């Protein structure tokens, strides 16, 4: 049994095995791997994450039971919730506000706990999905230049974790004062310079009150400075006109909605690997 909380708990060999499982799932293997198993999902306010996890578990023969995250906000302790659910649950998927709460649940759980995102700093399955998809067209994906543009949010923090765990070349391009503090990544404040050096450019939607200022990714910026073959991969939900312009989404740089199609498959592969 193994939890999937942070990419820093995994290594390149783990990722290769997860990717192999994903290949096998796409090839039609492991169809009943979760037969007789029950996964409890604590997920609120999600579209893609809930649909992909719930369908993915069902496709492997498992039974997903979905609760809102607020189900964990009762008077009883997290330890008590986990203790009772240990009687009937084979794995838990949770999308919570804090990583500390996720860790607390995992501490008392006798089954694997999977991080489906935390608001304060992690979205590990998203990063593995991106890397898996990129690996299908770029054999040199371990050596590419990845740049996250914007604030130090959960996407940026998870890419920083990936840099530390897998030795990836990751840059955080951002306004001064909001830099990611990880020693595993570099920081760039010049958006033009950052775009010019990047193979893959990631953004994340803005939180209320955040202003991206001069760090919006536009088609003009990409046309002027992006290297040949560079790709734009904004994390959904995408807010056109905020972190990225509408014409950038409509451009040749945008990897497209289908780039996300293996999000479900990677989540399936992670669950099987950790079980």
């Amino acid at each position: 049994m193994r939890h999937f909380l942070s990419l820093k708990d995994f290594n390149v060999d783990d990722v290769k095995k997860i990717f192999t499982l994903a290949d096998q799932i796409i090839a039609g293997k492991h169809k009943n791997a979760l037969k007789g198993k029950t996964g409890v999902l604590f997920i609120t306010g999600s579209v893609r994450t809930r649909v992909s996890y719930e369908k993915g578990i069902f496709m492997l023969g498992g039974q997903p039971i979905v609760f809102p995250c607020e189900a964990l906000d009762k008077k009883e302790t997290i330890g008590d919730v986990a203790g009772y659910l240990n009687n009937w649950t084979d794995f838990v998927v949770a999308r919570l506000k804090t990583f500390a709460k996720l860790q607390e649940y995992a501490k008392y759980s006798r089954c694997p706990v999977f991080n489906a995102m935390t608001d304060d700093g992690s979205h590990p399955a998203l990063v593995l999905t991106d890397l898996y998809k990129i690996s299908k067209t770029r054999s040199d994906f371990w050596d590419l230049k990845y740049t996250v543009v914007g604030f130090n949010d959960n996407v940026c923090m998870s890419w920083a974790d990936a840099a530390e765990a897998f030795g990836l070349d990751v840059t955080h391009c951002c306004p001064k004062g909001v830099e990611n503090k990880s020693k595993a990544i570099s920081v760039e404040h010049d958006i033009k310079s950052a775009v010019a050096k990047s193979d893959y450019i990631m953004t994340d939607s803005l939180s209320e009150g955040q202003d991206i200022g001069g760090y919006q990714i536009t088609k003009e910026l990409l046309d002027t400075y992006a290297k040949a073959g560079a790709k734009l991969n904004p994390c959904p939900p995408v807010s056109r006109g905020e972190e990225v312009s509408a014409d950038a989404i409509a451009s040749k740089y945008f990897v497209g909605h289908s780039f996300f199609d293996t999000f479900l498959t990677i989540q399936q592969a992670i669950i099987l690997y950790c079980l």
Side-chain angles (χ1 to χ4, degrees):
M1 187 201 80
R2 190 172 186 179
H3 298 305
F4 181 75
L5 304 183
S6 169
L7 293 178
K8 290 189 288 186
D9 299 329
F10 291 76
N11 57 39
V12 170
D13 188 54
D14 292 318
V15 174
K16 289 179 179 178
K17 291 176 181 177
I18 290 170
F19 286 4
T20 296
L21 276 168
D23 290 340
Q24 293 170 351
I25 290 168
I26 290 172
K29 299 180 180 180
H30 308 293
K31 287 185 177 179
N32 291 305
L34 296 181
K35 185 176 181 179
K37 296 188 182 297
T38 299
V40 170
L41 283 62
F42 293 103
I43 293 179
T44 300
S46 168
V47 177
R48 286 155 291 268
T49 300
R50 175 174 176 178
V51 169
S52 55
Y53 267 111
E54 194 168 352
K55 180 176 180 177
I57 292 165
F58 174 79
M59 289 172 66
L60 295 179
Q63 179 187 19
I65 300 176
V66 182
F67 290 95
C69 298
E70 290 76 17
L72 295 177
D73 295 333
K74 298 181 178 180
K75 291 182 179 180
E76 63 182 335
T77 67
I78 292 292
D80 283 337
V81 176
Y84 287 115
L85 289 183
N86 281 335
N87 291 303
W88 318 295
T89 307
D90 297 291
F91 57 93
V92 172
V93 178
R95 178 169 173 152
L96 304 178
K97 289 187 177 297
T98 68
F99 187 69
K101 194 169 188 176
L102 187 73
Q103 288 178 305
E104 186 179 5
Y105 194 105
K107 177 181 177 181
Y108 295 102
S109 178
R110 293 204 305 265
C111 66
V113 176
F114 298 91
N115 182 356
M117 196 187 87
T118 63
D119 291 351
D120 67 347
S122 56
H123 204 342
L126 176 74
V127 174
L128 287 192
T129 301
D130 289 346
L131 290 174
Y132 179 69
K133 196 69 176 182
I134 294 167
S135 75
K136 295 307 174 185
T137 57
R138 296 288 302 262
S139 60
D140 60 343
F141 72 102
W142 293 113
D143 303 315
L144 297 180
K145 179 71 173 180
Y146 300 96
T147 299
V148 184
V149 179
F151 291 87
N152 185 28
D153 49 30
N154 53 56
V155 171
C156 182
M157 292 181 190
S158 283
W159 275 100
D161 289 346
E164 182 177 337
F166 315 138
L168 297 178
D169 185 353
V170 176
T171 294
H172 182 203
C173 180
C174 62
K176 291 183 178 180
V178 298
E179 301 88 351
N180 185 283
K181 302 300 183 183
S182 172
K183 295 180 180 180
I185 67 171
S186 53
V187 173
E188 174 69 74
H189 297 301
D190 185 337
I191 183 67
K192 298 174 183 177
S193 175
V195 167
K197 294 181 284 188
S198 303
D199 293 296
Y200 276 82
I201 302 163
M202 279 75 67
T203 64
D204 197 5
S205 54
L206 302 180
S207 299
E208 186 175 353
Q210 289 181 332
D211 181 3
I212 201 66
Y215 290 83
Q216 184 189 76
I217 301 298
T218 65
K219 183 176 182 296
E220 180 182 5
L221 177 70
L222 295 170
D223 283 342
T224 305
Y225 297 101
K227 63 197 296 188
K231 300 298 181 183
L232 170 64
N233 183 28
C235 176
V238 179
S239 300
R240 290 169 172 80
E242 293 186 5
E243 74 276 9
V244 61
S245 67
D247 60 358
I249 294 294
S251 73
K252 64 181 181 180
Y253 304 99
F254 178 53
V255 292
H257 304 111
S258 62
F259 191 82
F260 215 61
D261 63 353
T262 55
F263 190 43
L264 180 154
T265 310
I266 285 296
Q267 289 169 168
Q268 290 176 315
I270 292 168
I271 289 172
L272 295 187
Y273 186 68
C274 291
L275 283 173

